[in-house]
Amino acid sequence: MTAKNTAIIILAAGKGTRMKSKTPKVLHEICGKTMIGHVIDTALSIDSSKIITVVSHGMEDVAGAIKHASSVVIQENQHGTGDAVKPALKELKSFDGNILILYADTPLITHETLAQMMDSLKSSDIVVLGFRPEDPAEYGRLVVNEAGELIKIVEFKDASPSEKKIHLCNSGVIAAKANLLQELVAKINNKNAKGEYYLTDIIGLAQNAGKKCTYVEGDEDEVLGVNNRVQLSEAEYIYQNRLRATAMVEGATLIDPETVYLCHDTRIDSDVIIYPNVTFGKNVWVESGVVIKSFCHIEGARIKSGAVVGPFARLRPGTEIGEEAHIGNFVEIKKSKIGKEVKIGHLSYIGDATVGSNSNIGAGTVTCNYDGYNKYETTIGKGVFVGSNSALVAPVKIGDKAFIGAGSTITKNIEADSLAVARNKQLNKENWAKHFRKKNEKNKL
Ligand code: UD1
Ligand code: CA
C-alpha cells in the first residue's frame, strides 16, 4: 500500500463555546498561526491523496483559511464526533485506503507521531493515539486487555469508577482502514450519557467484529486539546518552547529563552544572539551574526548579517536592515530600506524611507511621512550625515554625502555633497543676561 493511499479527515465543526469568542475556536492563533493552520500543515506533512475538513454552517472564515489545502464539508448539526465524520466519509465512499482522523482543536500533534500511527496501521485495523496525562480529567479512557489489545474507548461521563481510574487516555486521533471505518461509523448509536454519536464507539464495535485495534502512545504536550483560553495559553507555551529549542539547535544563542517570543515562521540563521525580552511578530528573517539586544519588538522585517538592533528598537512590517547596520534605542522603523553600515542610534522615527549605505542618522531624526491623508517617501543617499533633531518632511530627497545641520526642518531636496541648515540663525547679544538680571533685581518687590 502506498502512502498516497491515505485520506485525512479533520474535525472542526464544534462550536467551541468555551472560548467565549466571536471568532471560531480553530481560528485562534498559537505562535501566530491558527489552530486549524497548524493541523493542516501537519496533515500536509503526511503523504495523502485528500484532506477533508468538517465544519458547521457559518464557518466561512474557517473554510477560507484552509481552501489551499483541504476540501470542506458541512456537518449540519453538531451531534458528536461520530456524526461529524459522516459527511467526510460520504466523499470517501469509493476510497479503500487508510483514513486518518484529526481534531482541529488538538493543534500540536507532530508528523512523527502520525507517521508512527500510519506505520502501526500496517499490522492492525484501527490505531488510536493514546497518552498518559498527569491529570486524566475528563478525557475518554482506553480500555486495554491483558494481551495489550485495545478493546474499547469509554467516555468519561459513561465510565465506571474502575474505568475512571485508567490513566491511558484518548487523544482523539484515529487511523483506520477506510472500508471498516465506513461500516463501523454507520453502526454508532447515541445511547450514552451525552446523547451524542461518539466516534470512539468504533473500537468496541470493531472488537465485536473480530478486528484488531491497537494504540500508539503520544506525549502529553502533543495531544493537548484546546477548549478554553487557559488551554490556548498552555498550547502557546508548549509551542513557544518548541520554536525556541529549534532556534537554539540551529545555532542561535537565546540568553534567556523563555523571555523570547517567536512566531511560527521566524527565521533565525546561525550565530545570532538574542538578549532577553524580545518579541517577534510574523514574517521576520534574522540573518547570521546579528545581535538583537533586549526589549525589541520586530515584525515583518529582514535583518541582514552582522547588524545590531536594540535595546528598545521597534521594527515594523516592510523593513530591511542592511549588513552591519546599527539600530539603537527608541528607534522605530517602518517600511524602510536601511543600507549597509547605516547608524540610527537613538530616538528616531524612520518611515517610508530609503537610507543609503554608511549614512548616519542623528538622534531625534523624524521622517514626516504623513500629512493626515497620504504617505510620502524620504530618500536618503549614501554617506549622508543627518544632524540631531532634524525633521525630514516627505516627499524629500537627500543626495549622497550631503550634510544636514542639527535641528533642521528639511522641506526641499538637497544636492549631493551640500550642506543644508534649515533653522533660524543664532543671535548672540553680549552682556544681555547681566543687564537683564540687574534690571529685574532692582524692580523686585
Ligand atoms: C473527544 C473524545 C474523547 C477524547 C477527547 C480528546 C469523543 C466522543 N470523545 O472529547 O474521548 O479524550 O476528544 O481531546 O470523540 N466536533 C465536530 N462535530 C461535533 C462534535 C465535535 O466536528 O458534533 C469536533 C470539534 O470541533 C473538535 C473535535 O471534534 O475539533 C472534538 O470535539 P470535542 O467536543 O471537543 O470532544 P471532547 O469532548 O473533547
Ligand atoms: Ca476537545
Side-chain angles (χ1 to χ4, degrees), residues 18 25 81 103-106 139 171 223-228 231:
R18 286 169 282 179
K25 172 162 84 173
T81 48
Y103 288 178
D105 71 350
T106 308
Y139 284 111
S171 72
V223 296
L224 172 80
V226 176
N227 297 313
N228 59 39
Q231 289 163 329

Side-chain angles (χ1 to χ4, degrees), residues 63 83 112 152 181 190-191 225 273 323 338 358 363:
D83 176 65
E112 290 69 27
K152 72 169 175 172
L181 186 67
N190 62 352
K191 293 186 189 116
I273 299 176
E323 290 94 342
I338 309 301
N358 294 96

